[in-house]
Amino acid sequence: MENPRQRKKYDPEFKRETLRQLAQSGQPTSVFAKSVGVDRSNLQKWKKLFGDGAEIDDGPKSGAAIDISEFESLKQELQTVKETVFHLRNIVKRSFQNKY
């Protein structure tokens, strides 16, 4: 007989498939959790780890590795945005100085 206090361990494939089914079911998480015999809090944790289930791929979403070219592209885009914000602030400052 199993110890009822013993923790169940679920493999990543089971977690992803369960989230996929949850997303397709359209049911509230608590209702779906009862129907598959998994605690609702586990489903919430898995959502944070893998995403909401609709777009799950082979790996976790948060903290996923990106290639260096994508990183460099995002870094350049961030720099462009910072420069744009800087210029817009200067324009706004000058417009207020001219009014008063």
Side-chain angles (χ1 to χ4, degrees):
M1 186 170 182
E2 282 188 28
N3 182 353
R5 292 187 167 257
Q6 191 173 16
R7 296 179 105 186
K8 292 183 181 179
K9 294 186 179 184
Y10 301 100
D11 64 356
E13 185 178 329
F14 174 82
K15 294 174 183 180
R16 288 185 192 103
E17 182 57 32
T18 303
L19 289 175
R20 207 175 273 119
Q21 290 175 6
L22 171 61
Q24 291 174 350
S25 74
Q27 295 177 332
T29 303
S30 57
V31 173
F32 181 82
K34 286 180 185 178
S35 72
V36 295
V38 175
D39 192 73
R40 180 191 57 79
S41 64
N42 283 341
L43 290 177
Q44 298 294 356
K45 290 175 192 172
W46 299 348
K47 281 182 181 183
K48 288 180 183 177
L49 181 64
F50 296 108
D52 70 0
E55 72 286 332
I56 293 175
D57 60 12
D58 291 10
K61 294 295 181 195
S62 61
I66 59 172
D67 62 34
I68 193 72
S69 63
E70 185 178 2
F71 175 77
E72 290 300 327
S73 173
L74 291 171
K75 193 171 159 182
Q76 180 60 43
E77 186 176 346
L78 176 61
Q79 184 60 35
T80 303
V81 169
K82 285 180 176 182
E83 290 170 3
T84 303
V85 167
F86 176 77
H87 291 299
L88 290 172
R89 281 185 181 155
N90 284 338
I91 291 170
V92 170
K93 282 180 185 178
R94 280 185 258 143
S95 71
F96 277 112
Q97 287 173 352
N98 291 339
K99 285 186 174 182
Y100 300 105

